Amino acid sequence: MRRPRVVCAAASLAVTVCLALTACDRTPVADPGVDYSKLGVPVPSPTGRHATPEPKVRPPGDNANPSDQVLFDLQQRVVRTAGVVAATTARCAGGVITGTVDQTVDCTVTYQGLKVTYQVEITGGTPTFSWVAITEKSVLTAEGVGRAYWAKHGEDATAVRCDKMPQKRLVPLGKDTDFRCYHMGSDGWVEHAVFLKDGGISFESTEPE
């Protein structure tokens, strides 16, 4: 049985981030000299309710072997960061994960040909064990960002747009991707910067402090 420690980090090993979609509560002020209606491309209205994407593999039970538990966790993080369900594979190098001894192993999740490598530190124990997984990069997808932004702001917006983005690309976690999303609210256009977290997508204000 496991006792997972839900810890994930971006470029710095000391940074702890939430596995969820987040956004700044402040409303950014739009630049009056910018025609936001011509920036980026329209984000289409989704069909059905927004759901957190999950890997196309069966979740392990509490009594599953340690390797299966760790690998599912990592695949779940990558799929949620990408924001789009897709087939994934995962494997660890450096020995069998027993869960009974302390180990450090490198594990790689492959998402549509892109490889996300984690350093996994395992704290062994009986009957429970835990792990902390660290990666510096994960998967950005244009579709996933658009879905996440619509879920956050689209319902109350009259227009939703995002910069044209690659279909999929590895980008650093916790850093500005240099992509922007915009929506027309009751007070005019609002602009957000796109950031990736390990297990989610966040949108942060571009307004200077």
Side-chain angles (χ1 to χ4, degrees), residues 19-30:
L19 303 181
L21 296 178
T22 60
C24 181
D25 291 333
R26 294 182 301 125
T27 300
V29 178

Side-chain angles (χ1 to χ4, degrees), residues 1 14 25 70 107 109 117 119 122 133 151 158 162 164 174 180 207-208:
M1 184 170 63
D25 291 333
V70 170
C107 300
V109 177
T117 299
Q119 183 181 76
I122 297 168
T158 57
C162 285
K164 190 172 182 179
R180 300 289 182 265
E207 182 183 6

Side-chain angles (χ1 to χ4, degrees), residues 5-206:
R5 288 183 285 165
V6 183
V7 178
C8 31
S12 169
L13 300 187
V15 176
T16 302
V17 298
C18 296
L19 303 181
L21 296 178
T22 60
C24 181
D25 291 333
R26 294 182 301 125
T27 300
V29 178
D31 185 336
V34 175
D35 185 354
Y36 287 87
S37 66
K38 295 181 179 179
L39 294 181
V41 294
V43 176
S45 173
T47 57
R49 297 182 60 184
H50 177 77
T52 302
E54 297 291 342
K56 288 185 173 182
V57 293
R58 180 175 296 180
D62 287 340
N63 295 322
N65 71 65
S67 291
D68 287 346
Q69 295 183 47
V70 170
L71 291 176
F72 178 83
D73 173 47
L74 302 185
Q75 290 176 90
Q76 185 178 62
R77 296 187 195 192
V78 171
V79 169
R80 289 182 176 182
T81 303
V84 179
V85 176
T88 55
T89 59
R91 62 180 298 274
C92 292
V96 176
I97 298 175
T98 67
T100 59
V101 297
D102 295 350
Q103 291 176 272
T104 299
V105 297
D106 290 332
C107 300
T108 300
V109 177
T110 302
Y111 177 99
Q112 294 189 334
L114 297 179
K115 296 184 182 298
V116 179
T117 299
Y118 286 87
Q119 183 181 76
V120 184
E121 295 184 4
I122 297 168
T123 302
T126 302
T128 62
F129 74 106
S130 61
W131 67 90
V132 174
I134 303 297
T135 188
E136 294 185 352
K137 293 183 178 182
S138 195
V139 179
L140 175 143
T141 71
E143 183 179 355
V145 170
R147 286 183 181 183
Y149 196 67
W150 185 279
K152 195 71 181 178
H153 298 290
E155 203 168 297
D156 299 321
T158 57
V160 179
R161 303 180 71 86
C162 285
D163 288 346
K164 190 172 182 179
M165 303 179 203
Q167 182 180 5
K168 60 181 185 295
R169 176 190 293 174
L170 291 178
V171 303
L173 295 177
K175 294 183 178 181
D176 191 343
T177 62
D178 292 327
F179 295 116
R180 300 289 182 265
C181 286
Y182 322 88
H183 71 277
M184 170 67 87
S186 58
D187 296 325
W189 282 97
V190 179
E191 176 180 340
H192 288 97
V194 179
F195 284 71
L196 293 190
K197 310 297 183 183
D198 190 13
I201 305 166
S202 69
F203 303 101
E204 301 187 12
S205 168
T206 58

